[in-house]
Amino acid sequence: MEIESILLPGVDSKRPIVIAGPCSAESEEQVMDTAKQLASRGVKMFRAGIWKPRTKPGGFEGIGVPGLAWLKKVKQETGMYVATEVANQQHVFEALKAGIDILWIGARTTVNPFAVQEIADALKGVDIPVLIKNPVNPDLELWIGAIQRIYNAGIRRIGAIHRGFSSYDKKMYRNLPLWHIPIELRRRMPEVPIICDPSHIGGKRELVAPLCQQAMDLSFDGLIIESHCNPDCALSDASQQITPDVLDYVLNLLVIREGTQTTESLAELRRQIDEIDESLLELLAKRMRISREIGVYKKEHNMPVLQAPRYSEILEKRSNMGESMELSSDFIKEILKEIHEESVRQQMIIMNENN
């Protein structure tokens, strides 16, 4: 893919790219107040939701088309570029007609290839930056597929937004970061810039700053942050929005790691990791050979493949052992889960041989 820069004229190319503004455009006064505060602090790109897909009907679903005039006024009075979310063909037409500079596709839309294709068809022949959020579920292929659909429509200024992934089990974050997924996206599509959305990952304003720093430590290209002139009174996602003052404070505290330093001094440590990885693979291969032998025994003695008590025992003992070695219990359980699934798969193959 031949991706061009998503930056617009006059926007600083230094990392991080910053896009900020309220979750929703609620009123002309709120939009202009927030925009002027952000502009005075050096923000060049302003974001605001015009159409807001809500989980259930009855909530604030966005101001709609009238709000586009407020974004146009932001451009005229502050000189900032303006961005909004589009979820269907009509949104695209209205946003383009209003002169919106940047479009983004939300997580609920990315998950639907039909909707993404509809947006792609509406964008044919247009030259505009398009940012694509990860789907709500942790599916890298859906994310890549959405990027490819927009690219195939002729759009060359494409970026990805990592906003985390929905989880039935509510934990510390509103949406789990699962950093390995955007890291894999970067490996697969290194030309696509990745912007982090700490507001939607954290769901709480106190998590915005540490998530911004984590994104920078992972060499993300930019940040899209929800900022509101009066967050506590916001009509949507009040708990995750920060004031322009706080945003300025967060950005000034960021530590940007130097990405051009030589890694020659790491050569010996990396050699050691390579050797350990080889040993791990050899041990895994040995473990699977033993699993297959167990599979043969189970087949000969008419035993079921799955032995749930044994799996539970392994999980508990190994996770405790891992914690004693300063390894995360969740990390150990995730590894053991993958190993167990592969062991079961291997034994199922044996069970079905010559049947």
Side-chain angles (χ1 to χ4, degrees):
M1 294 176 70
E2 297 180 4
I3 299 297
E4 300 173 7
S5 173
I6 59 171
L7 290 178
L8 293 153
V11 176
D12 197 335
S13 61
K14 290 191 302 183
R15 191 164 64 94
I17 301 163
V18 176
I19 305 171
C23 172
S24 303
E26 301 164 359
S27 69
E28 182 175 345
E29 181 183 9
Q30 169 249 6
V31 167
M32 294 308 301
D33 186 4
T34 306
K36 288 176 180 178
Q37 289 191 50
L38 290 170
S40 70
R41 289 160 177 79
V43 176
K44 303 293 185 183
M45 293 183 278
F46 181 81
R47 56 140 293 151
I50 298 297
W51 301 278
K52 300 299 298 181
R54 313 313 299 171
T55 301
K56 295 178 180 178
F60 177 65
E61 297 187 330
I63 201 70
V65 172
L68 293 171
W70 307 338
L71 296 187
K72 195 171 183 178
K73 187 175 180 180
V74 167
K75 284 182 63 173
Q76 293 168 344
E77 295 195 11
T78 70
M80 282 196 287
Y81 295 103
V82 292
T84 199
E85 177 179 348
V86 292
N88 58 44
Q89 189 178 66
Q90 190 61 37
H91 291 171
V92 174
F93 292 154
E94 295 291 351
L96 294 177
K97 187 167 63 175
I100 300 301
D101 300 295
I102 306 164
L103 305 179
W104 81 78
I105 298 173
R108 297 169 190 259
T109 306
T110 304
V111 79
N112 183 349
F114 292 107
V116 175
Q117 189 59 54
E118 179 182 322
I119 293 170
D121 292 341
L123 287 169
K124 286 181 179 176
V126 177
D127 179 21
I128 188 172
V130 178
L131 308 176
I132 302 157
K133 288 195 174 186
N134 60 258
V136 290
N137 55 313
D139 189 331
L140 177 60
E141 298 308 321
L142 263 180
W143 199 2
I144 290 175
I147 292 170
Q148 290 172 335
R149 288 177 188 277
I150 299 303
Y151 181 85
N152 290 343
I155 299 295
R156 293 297 177 264
R157 290 186 284 169
I158 297 176
I161 298 176
H162 173 229
R163 50 77 79 191
F165 301 90
S166 296
S167 170
Y168 181 76
D169 298 318
K170 296 303 178 185
K171 296 188 179 179
M172 176 178 177
Y173 301 105
R174 177 181 178 183
N175 294 294
L176 301 179
L178 302 184
W179 296 106
H180 65 281
I181 294 179
I183 288 171
E184 178 62 11
L185 176 68
R186 161 109 341 135
R187 188 189 72 80
R188 298 263 297 271
M189 308 183 88
E191 68 281 9
V192 175
I194 304 180
I195 294 172
C196 182
D197 179 350
S199 307
H200 279 91
I201 292 175
K204 297 186 281 288
R205 58 180 65 110
E206 60 267 25
L207 293 176
V208 169
L211 285 165
C212 286
Q213 187 60 60
Q214 288 180 62
M216 291 301 97
D217 291 344
L218 291 169
S219 298
F220 277 49
D221 300 284
L223 302 164
I224 181 167
I225 303 173
E226 291 188 345
S227 181
H228 192 294
C229 58
N230 190 0
D232 290 333
C233 295
L235 298 181
S236 59
D237 291 347
S239 61
Q240 67 190 40
Q241 301 191 65
I242 58 177
T243 64
D245 268 342
V246 171
L247 173 68
D248 191 50
Y249 179 73
V250 168
L251 295 177
N252 285 327
L253 281 182
L254 282 180
V255 177
I256 309 300
R257 316 291 179 189
E258 178 56 61
T260 58
Q261 292 182 6
T262 177
T263 58
E264 289 179 6
S265 58
L266 295 175
E268 174 57 25
L269 292 174
R270 286 177 169 173
R271 185 190 64 76
Q272 291 179 43
I273 282 182
D274 289 343
E275 290 179 357
I276 292 169
D277 284 348
E278 289 176 11
S279 298
L280 284 172
L281 289 172
E282 289 172 0
L283 287 171
L284 283 172
K286 182 177 180 180
R287 193 186 194 284
M288 290 307 156
R289 283 196 295 272
I290 296 171
S291 289
R292 289 193 292 273
E293 290 178 18
I294 292 173
V296 171
Y297 182 90
K298 288 176 178 176
K299 182 175 183 178
E300 290 174 347
H301 293 79
N302 199 29
M303 296 170 63
V305 167
L306 186 60
Q307 305 283 319
R310 167 66 176 162
Y311 178 46
S312 297
E313 178 188 352
I314 289 174
L315 269 184
E316 183 177 355
K317 285 185 177 179
R318 303 295 189 270
S319 60
N320 290 338
M321 190 183 302
E323 284 185 330
S324 71
M325 299 176 184
E326 298 185 354
L327 294 169
S328 159
S329 175
D330 287 343
F331 170 65
I332 296 299
K333 285 179 179 176
E334 190 65 30
I335 290 175
L336 290 172
K337 185 184 102 173
E338 295 294 333
I339 291 173
H340 180 258
E341 287 181 2
E342 178 60 17
S343 295
V344 168
R345 189 186 72 83
Q346 298 262 0
Q347 292 183 19
M348 288 297 293
I349 290 172
I350 290 168
M351 287 290 189
N352 290 311
E353 284 177 350
N354 302 320
N355 283 352

